[in-house]
Amino acid sequence: MTDANDSDAGTNDATPPENDGQRFDRLPATAAERVVPGRPTREEVVGWWEQRYGVPPETWEGHTFWEKGNGKLWAFAADVVSPIAVEGLGLRILRTRQEHWKPSTNAVQRFATEATKNVVVLDGDEATRFAKGEDQELPRWDGDWGYVVAAHEIAGAVEPIGVGLYLHGELRSTVPKGRREDLS
Amino acid sequence: MQPLERYASLLDDYDAFRTACERPLPSVVRVNTLKASIERARDALDAEGVAYEATDWHPGVLRLDERGPGTSWPYFHGWLHGQEEVSALPALALDPQPGEVVWDACAAPGSKTTQIADLMDDTGVLVGNDNNLGRLSALRHNAERLGITNLAVTNQDARNFSFKPFGDRTEDEKRIEAFDRALVDAPCSCEGTIRKNPDALARWSMEHVKGIVGIQKGILRRAIQATRPGGTVVYSTCTFAPEENEAVLDHALDEANCEIVEWDAPEGFETDPGITEWNGEEYDSSVELAHRVYPHRNDTGGFFCAKLEVTA
């Protein structure tokens, strides 16, 4: 690969290169530039946030996207050499390479403030239970099933709290253990 | 508190110093303006009935009346970060600009790192390094909670930090080979943290001080080497020991291409100048430009901070 815009570093050997979980590799811009099988493209990631949550594509203009580990995607506010062997690069935004892509709590808090779709706005008690990591019945939601943005109103605007999994009338909190808080 | 008696000769109000050292510190938070304005964060605290007072010298540094910072909605949203008041000083001295390439040599657990990211408006490249892998996970956790995206985290010995992961000595146009600014918030004997941790001085010994001085010199030397001429290096510790403060700066002035430059502490924040003489040793007169922070001056922890410019 000589194209500087394509960091999906690989060779032209008969067997395609595999994802190396120990380092960060920049995502290819489009499917045509993909070298590592199964690696999402920048286009797919931007499109997924827009399609699923209505997050405007411009949100990501200043960020490069990277994969480390098995489908862990990171957004970084600048560009650096690829691959790069560092411990962390920006913010972990998304888990791919599974049937349903799952955004991270921190990504939703940072990037889903302008989300317009699949946003479940919780009242005070519901928000508190969600932040504690509790699952709750929520029969009033008639949007999509799957991973939703759980939000509440605070200081004059709706703010994302984290990622919920909505299934069979129940909203499950996916707030990681280390971020759960009893705010009652 | 034996070690603190060493400083009686430096202070004309030593009793006030000692009394302050025995008082616990207030709970202080910094507003993370990457996620919320200072006004919105304050509104959210008001709505929850969390009482606070802004510090005299920084509208985004708030002293909470009671509960810990963790148990409030604005904290959960990453609008606030618990940070000791005095430790907000070195990032201000560093004065990082949006788009720059900045190194935090001893970054974990990340209060100063995340403040630097905020000052950079989350743009450019901030390299947060620490030699301790366990503490790095705390750095990553804090940075992600605050929504920071311009941080690259590395796990190296800062004394011989290598740019190799960043493409040093390659033809790659995205390589990084020097920093615009570097913060050396050095490991130290932590005398200034006595108000937070009353056991901080339990294992104090002159041998420990002497040992850690070597590490401090090594990290500061590497930071000066790794920063471009004209760039800025800030050296800070949370201790009073001149051996770890002015003596380390004096050594850097002798050995590396740098000079200490004037930096005014924020208005409303009172500091004392660096000292040029200690235990029969004399230091370069420019170490006076450094700042000593004593707990009784602003009702904070103790601190030391100096700003250097790298010369060609």
Side-chain angles (χ1 to χ4, degrees):
Chain A
M1 279 285 150
T2 51
D3 183 351
N5 290 322
D6 184 359
S7 58
D8 221 348
T11 61
N12 291 324
D13 291 347
T15 48
E18 288 180 20
N19 177 41
D20 178 346
Q22 299 306 305
R23 63 184 201 193
F24 288 88
D25 287 82
R26 198 184 305 114
L27 298 194
T30 61
E33 293 173 21
R34 174 163 35 217
V35 175
V36 175
R39 175 164 291 164
T41 66
R42 180 185 177 87
E43 194 174 57
E44 287 164 357
V45 172
V46 171
W48 182 84
W49 283 94
E50 185 183 25
Q51 184 263 326
R52 175 90 198 152
Y53 301 114
V55 172
E58 310 84 77
T59 304
W60 309 100
E61 264 169 17
H63 289 87
T64 52
F65 291 143
W66 303 76
E67 181 176 19
K68 188 193 188 189
N70 188 27
K72 286 181 192 155
L73 263 51
W74 303 58
F76 184 54
D79 202 359
V80 285
V81 298
S82 175
I84 183 165
V86 290
E87 299 296 322
L89 197 67
L91 182 71
R92 199 169 57 76
I93 56 166
L94 192 58
R95 184 76 191 255
T96 63
R97 293 190 188 255
Q98 53 193 22
E99 193 186 344
H100 298 287
W101 287 11
K102 180 181 177 299
S104 71
T105 298
N106 293 317
V108 160
Q109 283 194 357
R110 168 71 203 268
F111 292 110
T113 49
E114 291 184 60
T116 53
K117 282 195 267 182
N118 291 312
V119 178
V120 182
V121 180
L122 304 175
D123 68 24
D125 284 347
E126 291 164 349
T128 302
R129 293 185 65 182
F130 189 88
K132 230 191 269 186
E134 286 179 13
D135 303 337
Q136 54 193 308
E137 298 296 319
L138 203 70
R140 66 179 154 81
W141 173 250
D142 59 2
D144 284 1
W145 288 17
Y147 292 116
V148 296
V149 172
H152 71 150
E153 184 160 326
I154 177 171
V158 170
E159 191 76 14
I161 302 169
V163 179
L165 179 58
Y166 189 79
L167 287 173
H168 308 291
E170 186 188 52
L171 180 68
R172 298 184 191 164
S173 171
T174 75
V175 174
K177 281 206 178 69
R179 294 237 27 211
R180 289 178 196 167
E181 207 67 67
D182 185 354
L183 299 164
S184 55
Chain B
M1 293 229 279
Q2 188 73 9
L4 299 182
E5 284 166 22
R6 302 203 305 152
Y7 310 120
S9 65
L10 298 178
L11 290 159
D12 49 17
D13 43 4
Y14 179 67
D15 287 346
F17 168 76
R18 285 301 299 261
T19 310
C21 286
E22 283 160 18
R23 281 199 305 268
L25 275 180
S27 177
V28 176
V29 294
R30 172 175 54 80
V31 176
N32 171 37
T33 65
L34 296 178
K35 274 187 156 181
S37 66
I38 292 170
E39 192 187 7
R40 193 163 180 221
R42 287 178 169 207
D43 284 350
L45 285 171
D46 292 343
E48 278 193 68
V50 179
Y52 61 86
E53 196 182 335
T55 55
D56 297 337
W57 61 282
H58 197 303
V61 175
L62 312 175
R63 291 181 173 187
L64 303 183
D65 277 9
E66 276 177 31
R67 57 177 163 169
T71 50
S72 68
W73 273 111
Y75 184 88
F76 186 88
H77 283 293
W79 298 358
L80 303 175
H81 184 69
Q83 177 175 17
E84 219 253 278
E85 183 174 337
V86 70
S87 92
L89 217 52
L92 298 175
L94 190 67
D95 193 25
Q97 301 297 309
E100 287 187 332
V101 182
V102 177
W103 189 37
D104 191 349
C106 314
S111 295
K112 301 174 191 81
T113 320
T114 53
Q115 186 188 1
I116 291 168
D118 195 345
L119 292 167
M120 295 171 79
D121 204 16
D122 199 31
T123 63
V125 177
L126 172 57
V127 177
N129 179 73
D130 207 276
N131 68 347
N132 183 314
L133 201 57
R135 282 203 307 264
L136 272 190
S137 66
L139 169 66
R140 275 172 44 179
H141 178 85
N142 285 325
E144 294 210 340
R145 190 177 65 79
L146 300 186
I148 288 161
T149 66
N150 75 338
L151 177 66
V153 176
T154 59
N155 179 213
Q156 296 191 32
D157 183 334
R159 290 173 290 186
N160 44 34
F161 180 84
S162 167
F163 284 102
K164 202 171 169 215
F166 295 91
D168 180 33
R169 291 176 225 179
T170 66
E171 297 296 306
D172 198 308
E173 60 180 23
K174 296 177 184 111
R175 70 188 181 276
I176 296 173
E177 294 173 317
F179 297 113
D180 295 306
R181 294 172 205 260
L183 171 62
V184 177
D185 183 54
C188 70
S189 58
C190 299
E191 295 166 353
T193 65
I194 187 77
R195 298 182 63 182
K196 189 167 57 183
N197 174 13
D199 297 330
L201 303 182
R203 284 184 297 161
W204 190 98
S205 76
M206 203 56 223
E207 286 312 301
H208 177 237
V209 170
K210 283 177 183 162
I212 215 158
V213 161
I215 296 168
Q216 292 162 343
K217 287 176 178 172
I219 299 173
L220 182 55
R221 180 198 300 124
R222 182 63 190 129
I224 294 164
Q225 281 174 354
T227 301
R228 64 168 172 80
T232 297
V233 175
V234 166
Y235 179 76
S236 64
T237 71
C238 53
T239 203
F240 307 111
E243 294 88 347
E244 301 177 59
N245 293 333
E246 287 89 346
V248 171
L249 291 178
D250 184 72
H251 179 264
L253 291 171
D254 271 350
E255 210 196 48
N257 294 322
C258 67
E259 56 190 46
I260 302 176
V261 295
E262 194 169 347
W263 175 71
D264 291 331
E267 205 177 322
F269 196 88
E270 198 187 333
T271 68
D272 289 41
I275 60 168
T276 56
E277 205 184 332
W278 179 251
N279 274 356
E281 301 247 345
E282 276 203 38
Y283 308 129
D284 189 284
S285 63
S286 68
V287 302
E288 279 185 326
L289 296 172
H291 295 262
R292 293 190 148 257
V293 183
Y294 295 114
H296 57 303
R297 298 275 196 246
N298 315 279
D299 197 19
T300 65
F303 214 71
F304 180 84
C305 183
K307 181 168 184 165
L308 296 89
E309 183 178 317
V310 177
T311 53

